[in-house]
Amino acid sequence: MFVNNLKLHKFVKNYQLKSYFIQFRPFFVFLLKFFLVYAGLTVLYKLYLNQFEDSLVYKVDGLTQMVANQTQKILQWLNFDCQLQLHAAESSVKVILEGVYVSRVVEGCNAVSVMILFAAFVVAFSGKLKQTLLFIVTGVLIIHVLNILRIVLLNIALLYYPAYQEILHGVIFPAFIYGVVFGLWVIWVNKYSSYASTTAEK
């Protein structure tokens, strides 16, 4: 009797586990796709950054330099005297605005990590291949443009209100860029993803 009860208990437990897996399968698939894409893109990005690592010379990667250059052009277009200088003690670009050293553009300022996070989420909630790729490309371009504007506005704000550096750099402007990414995610999930198609059919 004890053996039979044990077998029954194992059967019920296995059935429950299988039932839970079936019930939460979409969630597990989402997590798997998200982490695979996120890890894959992160590894590729790290391999890219490794090209610029040198113990003797401080180098700035091409993407960060591009962001700094585009920031400079927009500030100059706004009639600000903006000069860029490579930092002598770290891998970054110094932004000199109206003769004042107001900020430095580091690797984290290029928003690539945010773009990777964005792309991984979109793929995890993927729809049709063409639509998914188009939305990722469009989203990455939007994030890039808004990130440049964020850096431009941040530099102007730091020029006139240097005392508010912590709240401007650490709270307000990061909240802006992540808010945009969240908005793009909401649009994707509700309008273009496979989830949206399933919901529409119901």
Side-chain angles (χ1 to χ4, degrees):
M1 180 68 78
F2 176 75
V3 175
N4 288 336
N5 285 339
L6 188 61
K7 286 182 178 178
L8 180 63
H9 177 71
K10 284 183 177 179
F11 174 78
V12 171
K13 191 174 181 180
N14 289 335
Y15 177 79
Q16 286 176 336
L17 286 173
K18 188 176 180 181
S19 177
Y20 283 136
F21 180 78
I22 293 170
Q23 184 180 353
F24 295 105
R25 185 175 177 276
F27 176 69
F28 291 131
V29 171
F30 167 83
L31 283 181
L32 181 63
K33 288 165 75 174
F34 177 84
F35 284 114
L36 283 176
V37 174
Y38 184 79
L41 291 177
T42 299
V43 168
L44 288 175
Y45 182 51
K46 291 297 181 185
L47 290 173
Y48 164 76
L49 290 178
N50 287 343
Q51 303 174 69
F52 302 92
E53 286 188 2
D54 192 316
S55 57
L56 300 176
V57 182
Y58 290 105
K59 296 180 181 179
V60 178
D61 67 274
L63 292 172
T64 302
Q65 186 67 59
M66 179 185 72
V67 167
N69 291 340
Q70 291 176 351
T71 298
Q72 179 189 33
K73 286 178 182 177
I74 294 176
L75 284 166
Q76 289 175 340
W77 181 75
L78 292 171
N79 292 321
F80 283 96
D81 175 21
C82 180
Q83 303 299 322
L84 301 179
Q85 289 181 10
L86 288 176
H87 204 292
E90 62 178 36
S91 299
S92 65
V93 181
K94 295 165 71 172
V95 179
I96 315 295
L97 199 58
E98 299 298 329
V100 180
Y101 169 34
V102 291
S103 72
R104 58 198 173 89
V105 180
V106 299
E107 178 269 322
C109 297
N110 62 28
V112 171
S113 58
V114 179
M115 294 172 189
I116 290 174
L117 190 66
F118 165 76
F121 183 90
V122 171
V123 171
F125 258 116
S126 62
K128 295 176 181 177
L129 180 61
K130 185 178 178 181
Q131 213 169 37
T132 301
L133 293 175
L134 184 61
F135 194 85
I136 288 174
V137 171
T138 304
V140 165
L141 288 174
I142 290 172
I143 292 168
H144 175 70
V145 170
L146 293 179
N147 183 55
I148 298 295
L149 293 177
R150 173 185 75 93
I151 298 172
V152 167
L153 293 173
L154 178 59
N155 276 284
I156 295 172
L158 290 175
L159 176 65
Y160 295 110
Y161 307 102
Y164 296 97
Q165 178 178 347
E166 261 187 54
I167 191 168
L168 288 169
H169 184 266
V171 180
I172 295 175
F173 285 96
F176 166 72
I177 199 72
Y178 281 108
V180 169
V181 171
F182 181 75
L184 289 170
W185 282 343
V186 171
I187 293 170
W188 172 251
V189 171
N190 290 316
K191 289 193 173 183
Y192 302 108
S193 70
S194 54
Y195 169 82
S197 303
T198 306
T199 307
E201 286 174 5
K202 290 180 180 178

